[in-house]
Amino acid sequence: MVLKPGKREQWQELLAGVQELAKATSDENVQLAQKVKELEVEVTVWKQAHSAARDTQDRENKSTARSIALCVIDGTRSVFSTNYISQGGEGGRKAGQEIVRAITDSLADDKSLQDINPRLSIAIYVRKPRLRDDMVIGNFCTPEQFDDFFVGLNETPHLNIVDVGSKRDAEKKIEEYLQLFAGLPQIVRIFFSGGTGSEYLSILPTLENCTATNKLVILRSYTSPTFGTFARIPSLMLAGLFMKNVPAGHPSSVTPLPPTSPSPFPLAEPDTPDTSPWSSNAQRRQSVIDPTLPLYKQNPPPCNEYYLMEACSKEGRCRYSHEYTLTEEQIATLAKNAKQSPCWYLNNDRQCPYGESCCWGHVCPFGVKCIFTVKDKCRFKADGMHRPRGDFLLRGDGCALNRTSFLRSQYVF
């Protein structure tokens, strides 16, 4: 096809225009691509700056109101020293200042809490009317000094005193308190005081449920053999702040191992606090066993924990005797009898701090064939305490006997 001269010129002009437009478009695309690269670099810089600012803000939040250290004191077991109570209001202020000073220093020395300055919140659970009566009866302080002490103690910043009706009421309130707050990420440490050692494991299930076991620090005022069992738990010494020997009329500083229902056996019960005010074990001690009486009828009976676990949790306040010289046969009898009484910890769905070395029963001697479960009379109440054992049991001397003979054997020692 041959174009006329006029048409050819037109097509050449059109083609030149298209080429020029294509070149301009290509140049613009190159410029846009370069601009995109520059913007990407700029966005990256802004992202890094924002991330750094957010990290700084997070650290600031952790170091201010978002970080809290809890201090929980079970005053039904950890009783403030008479050196403080007898000073009245001034002693209360000194006790509060000592708690704050010791915990603040501990937090400052904790390398895992660097760049964090937690606020401290203190809760003290105490049975004030009962403790007041015990301290006054024991001539440790006057009623006015006792009342003024708690007034002064209550002046401590961020300290709350909770009056409870009983030791078990204190346990329940502390458990509820920990369930509510322990698992929060803002809580970095939990300082706890409540006795001489074994009670600390009673709160571990609650902390484990909240994944807060690693936050626990024990507060103590003196060295006790029972603390050695819990060496894996960090502790903070507050020398002289709490009494070592709690008044006998006051609830024991160690959780007793009480029966939960009437016993089918005439056995010596697990140790319980002496209810006689300011009584002394020394007044009841004797060193000779009466051979005409079974062990549980001795006056007083031998202490199960002392002879079977080599350490009595009540130390100088135990109402049972530590003074007898027992034969191997009598020790075996004592061990067999103790297993007829349920371990208080397991029976209340708690972890036993003594494990296999516990002298009390972790399982019903009759197993799944226990005749007392039918009428709900068996003292072994917790799940898993009635395991299959068969119709025959082993006595302390290794001889087998059936359930009827086993019951009868408990009356002859």
Side-chain angles (χ1 to χ4, degrees):
M1 179 177 178
V2 179
L3 295 176
K4 294 180 180 180
K7 293 289 185 180
R8 180 180 300 174
E9 293 176 357
Q10 291 179 354
W11 276 107
Q12 288 178 345
E13 291 177 359
L14 182 61
L15 180 60
V18 170
Q19 290 176 343
E20 184 178 353
L21 179 62
K23 184 177 183 303
T25 303
S26 176
D27 293 342
E28 186 176 356
N29 287 340
V30 171
Q31 294 175 359
L32 289 175
Q34 182 63 31
K35 187 64 175 178
V36 168
K37 290 182 180 180
E38 293 175 356
L39 290 174
E40 288 178 345
V41 172
E42 187 175 352
V43 168
T44 301
V45 172
W46 279 107
K47 283 184 177 181
Q48 292 175 347
H50 176 70
S51 178
R54 186 174 57 184
D55 291 343
T56 301
Q57 184 64 42
D58 289 343
R59 286 194 296 269
E60 291 177 354
N61 290 338
K62 290 181 180 180
S63 64
T64 55
R66 293 185 60 184
S67 297
I68 301 173
L70 300 180
C71 176
V72 182
I73 298 176
D74 184 352
T76 67
R77 292 188 174 116
S78 291
V79 179
F80 285 98
S81 170
T82 55
N83 293 333
Y84 288 93
I85 296 180
S86 61
Q87 297 181 46
E90 182 63 23
R93 286 185 286 272
K94 288 181 179 178
Q97 292 169 3
E98 178 63 18
I99 295 173
V100 174
R101 181 201 61 77
I103 294 180
T104 302
D105 290 347
S106 175
L107 293 172
D109 294 338
D110 193 332
K111 296 181 179 179
S112 64
L113 299 179
Q114 289 183 350
D115 300 326
I116 296 179
N117 184 24
R119 291 193 305 173
L120 178 60
S121 176
I122 306 171
I124 302 177
Y125 297 81
V126 61
R127 190 181 181 184
K128 288 172 62 176
R130 174 66 177 272
L131 178 59
R132 184 178 189 268
D133 292 342
D134 292 338
M135 299 297 287
V136 172
I137 291 174
N139 294 322
F140 288 114
C141 67
T142 65
E144 293 75 16
Q145 288 173 335
F146 182 89
D147 294 338
D148 290 344
F149 169 81
F150 277 96
V151 171
L153 181 64
N154 201 39
E155 294 177 4
T156 305
H158 309 297
L159 185 147
N160 296 304
I161 299 175
V162 182
D163 203 357
V164 297
S166 65
K167 176 171 62 65
R168 292 189 181 277
D169 188 25
E171 291 177 350
K172 182 179 179 181
K173 289 183 180 296
I174 290 174
E175 182 177 356
E176 292 173 348
Y177 182 78
L178 293 177
Q179 286 177 344
L180 182 61
F181 294 107
L184 297 177
Q186 295 91 336
I187 306 301
V188 294
R189 286 292 179 271
I190 301 171
F191 295 86
F192 179 79
S193 177
T196 59
S198 60
E199 300 78 17
Y200 297 111
L201 285 187
S202 68
I203 67 170
L204 285 185
T206 301
L207 296 179
E208 288 175 355
N209 292 336
C210 302
T211 62
T213 308
N214 62 329
K215 302 177 181 180
L216 177 63
V217 178
I218 294 174
L219 295 180
R220 55 192 180 99
S221 290
Y222 52 87
T223 302
S224 171
T226 54
F227 277 117
T229 310
F230 315 104
R232 65 184 181 88
I233 303 177
S235 63
L236 175 62
M237 178 67 76
L238 297 174
L241 183 63
F242 301 113
M243 297 175 64
K244 182 175 183 180
N245 295 316
V246 178
H250 191 63
S252 170
S253 66
V254 175
T255 302
L257 306 174
T260 56
S261 62
S263 172
F265 316 117
L267 301 175
E269 299 295 345
D271 294 345
T272 53
D274 191 350
T275 56
S276 302
W278 310 104
S279 59
S280 171
N281 189 51
Q283 298 174 356
R284 304 187 301 276
R285 287 178 178 171
Q286 65 181 56
S287 58
V288 179
I289 288 287
D290 185 347
T292 64
L293 297 174
L295 291 177
Y296 74 93
K297 286 190 175 182
Q298 300 295 318
N299 185 26
C303 174
N304 290 311
E305 292 185 0
Y306 177 80
Y307 288 101
L308 302 177
M309 298 169 61
E310 299 182 353
C312 175
S313 58
K314 295 175 180 58
E315 299 179 347
R317 296 169 288 99
C318 181
R319 69 174 183 175
Y320 299 104
S321 176
H322 298 179
E323 304 300 313
Y324 295 122
T325 301
L326 301 183
T327 65
E328 292 184 4
E329 182 180 358
Q330 290 169 332
I331 292 290
T333 299
L334 198 67
K336 181 182 68 175
N337 294 343
K339 291 298 182 182
Q340 315 313 312
S341 297
C343 169
W344 183 88
Y345 292 97
L346 263 65
N347 219 28
N348 287 273
D349 297 321
R350 300 188 179 186
Q351 178 183 354
C352 176
Y354 304 107
E356 296 181 356
S357 63
C358 181
C359 66
W360 308 109
H362 284 196
V363 61
C364 176
F366 301 129
V368 294
K369 296 187 178 182
C370 176
I371 61 177
F372 300 102
T373 57
V374 178
K375 297 182 179 181
D376 196 26
K377 292 294 182 76
C378 183
R379 295 189 300 159
F380 292 80
K381 301 288 187 181
D383 294 339
M385 299 187 83
H386 287 84
R387 304 170 189 170
R389 285 291 187 91
D391 289 331
F392 289 86
L393 305 166
L394 288 179
R395 293 193 323 208
D397 55 8
C399 299
L401 67 163
N402 59 35
R403 287 180 292 168
T404 303
S405 299
F406 179 79
L407 281 173
R408 293 174 180 172
S409 72
Q410 307 311 307
Y411 295 85
V412 181
F413 295 86

